[in-house]
Structures are given as C-alpha cells and as structure tokens.
Amino acid sequence: MDDTTFLWNGIQPIIRIVLVGITAYLAIVLILKISGKRTLASMSAFDFVIAVTIGAVFGRTLTTKDLSISEALTAFVLLALLQFIFSYLENKSRTFKRIFNTTPTLLYYNGEFIQKNLHKERLDKSKIIGAARKKGFGSMDDISAVILEIDATLSVIGKSKEGENSTFQELVEKNDL
C-alpha cells in the first residue's frame, strides 16, 4: 500500500508550493510581458491554447513534487517561444495564416442574415439581434453588417458608419454579396 496522506503531509510541501508558486507566477508574468501584447490581447484559438497550457503547467508545477522549477520555467519559455514563432509565421506566410488562424465571418449584411455563415458558425439570428441591442441599435434596419471576429466577438456596424472604404468589403466580396 502506498503512503497516501489525506489531511496533512507536513509543512515542507506547503512551503514548497508557496515558494514554487511565487517563483512560477513571477516567471509567467515576466515571460508574458516579454512575449508582447498579442499574448494578452483578444485571443485567437492558438493564443487560447497557449493560455490554457501555461495554466496547466503552472498547476502541475505547484502540485507535483517531482517537477523542478527549472523544468517548469523551460516549459513556460517554450510556450512563449512557440507563441512568438506562430505569430511571426502568421504575419509572414498566407498559407500558415490560412491553416492556423481563422478569418472574420460576415453574418448579416444589408438587411439579410447570411444563413450559410450562421449555420457554419453554429449561431442563430437571436445572437445577432442580441449583439445589435447591446451596441444600442433598436432596429436591424440601422445596421449595415454584423461580423463574427477571429476572437469570437461580434462587430456590429451601423449604416451611418459604413463608408466607401468599408472595413468589411473583402468579406462582402468573399460572400458574393
């Protein structure tokens, strides 16, 4: 039978968790600061994976006796480095960006819900209408477009805000509207 302790295992494991926790926390903050604003901004799918993974490594670092702080720091640095490499490649390669990142999706345009895009994104009209209400629109007639952004937020663009150089023209052309 193993040596499992349920309530108290002494003060040494508690001290280890506090010291390792403080060190790992400071390391994470420093690494995220060095890795740039993008890591802390609205998250893409890859950024989300990095954040969850850092959290998992942090949790394991706190609770696993056999994991040294140098191993945890190596994992944190590796994750920050991967995030930096992915963001660099995403900016330099269209193919890489197409494979590893999403693009905004036009959900509503000129009075029409774009059903194929709503279906593809597993959304219904009520989400779009709710987003319009949150942005202060009383009628869908006042809205030119609603776009699902890459960070999963909904951008609602009023008709008075649309100009000749529309920020969503490429999405209109992509959808043949």
Side-chain angles (χ1 to χ4, degrees):
M1 189 162 155
D2 63 354
D3 216 12
T4 304
T5 305
F6 291 103
L7 297 177
W8 180 255
N9 203 17
I11 192 72
Q12 191 171 6
I14 303 296
I15 292 171
R16 181 195 177 283
I17 288 173
V18 169
L19 293 177
V20 169
I22 291 169
T23 306
Y25 179 81
L26 292 174
I28 291 170
V29 170
L30 181 65
I31 290 166
L32 290 176
K33 180 101 171 131
I34 291 169
S35 69
K37 292 178 184 173
R38 182 173 184 259
T39 308
L40 302 173
S42 298
M43 292 192 264
S44 68
F46 184 73
D47 297 328
F48 177 75
V49 168
I50 290 292
V52 168
T53 307
I54 285 174
V57 171
F58 183 69
R60 186 162 186 259
T61 301
L62 287 178
T63 58
T64 304
K65 293 178 190 177
D66 298 335
L67 183 67
S68 71
I69 192 70
S70 61
E71 292 168 323
L73 292 177
T74 301
F76 295 144
V77 170
L78 173 65
L79 292 169
L81 184 63
L82 285 172
Q83 201 280 337
F84 176 81
I85 291 168
F86 267 66
S87 63
Y88 176 81
L89 291 172
E90 182 180 71
N91 288 325
K92 296 295 181 187
S93 168
R94 283 186 173 165
T95 303
F96 189 88
K97 187 174 187 172
R98 191 173 49 246
I99 292 169
F100 288 102
N101 210 345
T102 60
T103 58
T105 304
L106 189 64
L107 302 173
Y108 178 88
Y109 180 68
N110 277 349
E112 299 288 327
F113 289 94
I114 303 170
Q115 292 299 328
K116 67 177 183 173
N117 291 350
L118 287 169
H119 181 68
K120 180 179 99 176
E121 299 296 343
R122 295 179 307 281
L123 292 170
D124 62 17
K125 293 178 185 180
S126 66
K127 298 284 187 202
I128 307 311
I129 294 168
R133 277 194 309 269
K134 285 181 181 178
K135 296 292 183 179
F137 289 96
S139 171
M140 294 301 287
D141 295 332
D142 298 331
I143 296 171
S144 182
V146 178
I147 300 162
L148 179 64
E149 301 292 352
I150 62 172
D151 65 355
T153 59
L154 291 171
S155 294
V156 181
I157 301 164
K159 287 187 177 179
S160 64
K161 304 286 185 191
E162 181 184 3
E164 285 185 30
N165 294 321
S166 169
T167 60
F168 56 89
Q169 189 59 40
E170 70 181 50
L171 297 174
V172 172
E173 292 167 1
K174 178 181 170 184
N175 286 281
D176 295 324
L177 300 173

